Amino acid sequence: MNNQSRFPILFLNPVLKQMVWGGSRLHTDFGYEPEADNLGECWGIAAHSNGDSVLKNLEFSGMTLSKLWKEKPEFFGKYDTEQFPLLIKIIDAKSDLSIQVHPDDAYAQKNENGALGKMECWYIIDCPEDAVLVAGHNAETAEELKEMVHNGKWDELIRKIPIQKGDFIQIDPGTVHAITAGCLILETQQNSDITYRLYDYGRMVDGKPRELHIRQSLDVIQVPAKSAKDSVLKTGDLPKNQLNQLISCQYYTVYKLNVSGKCSISHNESFLNMSVLEGSGIVDSISIKKGDHFIIPADYGTIELEGELEIIASDAK
Ligand code: ZN
């Protein structure tokens, strides 16, 4: 397809979410509005009833991504799902998030009015020195898990894994997990908002504890957990100017792309989500900078990029 007839790159206005655990970096580091000290999540590429990105492109001005998905399926390639399949977020945790777990598709469809389950993965944009994340647990059997949960043996149960800036972690459904204070993360996930809260450190919000979902958590937690050493991928030394695959699972493939100078990327068949985490530059003569989220349509042909850019990209299966 030549430059005149191909579909345009789709630029999106993110949806910002204020959270009790949020911070100010989504405004100060990424320039998102509003300015607030409790911005927890930027839904950069989202087509969900709890947050729907609005297109910036003049020709689709005011249209949401979920509407575009329905009205222009040719932009996205061959998908038969009613919903846009993925959700891309940047998360700023000023304090620890509650310890949680997500169901898989089968459990969510049966117990959550036909909703999708949630597979997710995290790219660590920034974190404190000696940071740890919660990923997995230490119970060997379902009985042991139940016993530890009901007796509040959280320190014994919860598995913490050390992380550094640039690490990448896949969180399967059924994995106990939590983002910790000081972490700035790009999350690529199935388009779902179903979370079961297992433990909230006994904290009070407006004078009362937040709701827990112990029964559902025990239903869906995988026992034993996946080994800790299989959980974290280091991305420090990846080659520049190419799509480096970080993970491929049944729902998505996630790539890291470090642009330095000029580069040409070829990606066809499906659409490609892109989020700029660092730097500035140009994509096919359009200026882009840190904090921008856009979608390259399916069958776009060669994508020309220029500048110094750190990008996380993804496509859907
Ligand atoms: Zn999660």
Side-chain angles (χ1 to χ4, degrees):
M1 222 179 269
N2 66 37
N3 280 343
Q4 275 69 46
S5 63
R6 65 184 175 182
F7 300 130
I9 297 176
L10 304 167
F11 284 86
L12 302 158
N13 276 311
V15 178
L16 274 291
K17 301 266 183 185
Q18 302 193 350
M19 301 286 191
V20 284
W21 44 260
S24 55
R25 297 179 72 181
L26 293 175
H27 178 74
T28 56
D29 290 22
F30 285 89
Y32 300 128
E33 298 293 347
E35 181 175 1
D37 58 6
N38 64 346
L39 291 180
E41 299 187 347
C42 162
W43 290 24
I45 300 179
H48 192 280
S49 53
N50 296 342
D52 209 344
S53 311
V54 172
L55 275 288
K56 281 187 183 176
N57 304 51
L58 283 179
E59 64 268 47
F60 308 116
S61 184
M63 195 188 259
T64 59
L65 180 56
S66 56
K67 190 160 187 234
L68 194 76
W69 175 258
K70 287 203 173 78
E71 293 187 0
K72 300 276 185 191
E74 64 273 22
F75 282 19
F76 299 97
K78 291 187 177 68
Y79 293 91
D80 56 7
T81 55
E82 206 159 296
Q83 278 191 333
F84 184 81
L86 300 179
L87 175 51
I88 316 297
K89 296 179 185 176
I90 298 177
I91 297 173
D92 174 25
K94 192 167 72 183
S95 49
D96 292 337
L97 273 69
S98 59
I99 292 174
Q100 48 186 249
V101 60
H102 304 297
D104 62 12
D105 287 341
Y107 189 91
Q109 260 146 37
K110 192 162 164 229
N111 298 284
E112 301 289 352
N113 301 317
L116 291 176
K118 200 203 279 197
M119 175 90 81
E120 68 187 41
C121 60
W122 299 334
Y123 175 80
I124 313 296
I125 302 168
D126 196 18
C127 66
E129 237 178 280
D130 306 320
V132 293
L133 287 175
V134 173
H137 61 80
N138 297 314
E140 293 296 331
T141 63
E143 290 68 39
E144 194 182 358
L145 173 70
K146 230 184 203 171
E147 189 273 320
M148 287 168 133
V149 168
H150 286 136
N151 292 304
K153 297 179 178 171
W154 301 110
D155 289 343
E156 253 177 88
L157 177 66
I158 299 308
R159 188 174 72 192
K160 293 179 174 168
I161 55 173
I163 49 146
Q164 289 177 311
K165 192 173 159 157
D167 285 354
F168 178 80
I169 302 160
Q170 173 85 336
I171 304 283
D172 296 337
T175 304
V176 173
H177 63 281
I179 297 172
T180 52
C183 291
L184 196 58
I185 282 175
L186 181 128
E187 183 175 85
T188 304
Q189 56 160 96
Q190 277 180 275
N191 188 2
S192 162
D193 206 18
I194 301 210
T195 294
Y196 300 137
R197 192 177 291 126
L198 176 65
Y199 177 55
D200 199 27
Y201 305 94
R203 291 181 293 197
M204 297 289 179
V205 175
D206 298 329
K208 44 182 195 281
R210 289 196 288 175
E211 188 190 357
L212 299 179
H213 313 93
I214 300 291
R215 180 179 55 79
Q216 295 93 328
S217 296
L218 289 174
D219 279 350
V220 305
I221 292 171
Q222 275 185 27
V223 191
K226 188 161 92 179
S227 90
K229 75 169 174 23
D230 294 338
S231 298
V232 179
L233 177 75
K234 303 275 168 196
T235 71
D237 292 319
L238 297 171
K240 286 182 193 293
N241 297 335
Q242 66 176 57
L243 288 174
N244 297 292
Q245 183 181 308
L246 303 180
I247 187 100
S248 186
C249 68
Q250 66 186 110
Y251 300 106
Y252 48 71
T253 304
V254 176
Y255 311 88
K256 175 116 194 261
L257 168 62
N258 290 314
V259 176
S260 183
K262 282 187 179 188
C263 82
S264 304
I265 304 289
S266 199
H267 184 81
N268 286 312
E269 292 151 29
S270 78
F271 67 93
L272 188 66
N273 299 315
M274 288 196 169
S275 299
V276 181
L277 300 185
E278 204 56 70
S280 60
I282 294 167
V283 58
D284 287 341
S285 74
I286 303 165
S287 292
I288 50 172
K289 62 173 193 315
K290 176 173 179 166
D292 285 346
H293 302 267
F294 51 92
I295 301 173
I296 309 287
D299 297 318
Y300 186 82
T302 307
I303 309 154
E304 305 287 350
L305 288 144
E306 191 179 339
E308 297 295 321
L309 294 156
E310 194 181 307
I311 291 171
I312 293 288
S314 57
D315 58 27
K317 292 291 174 67

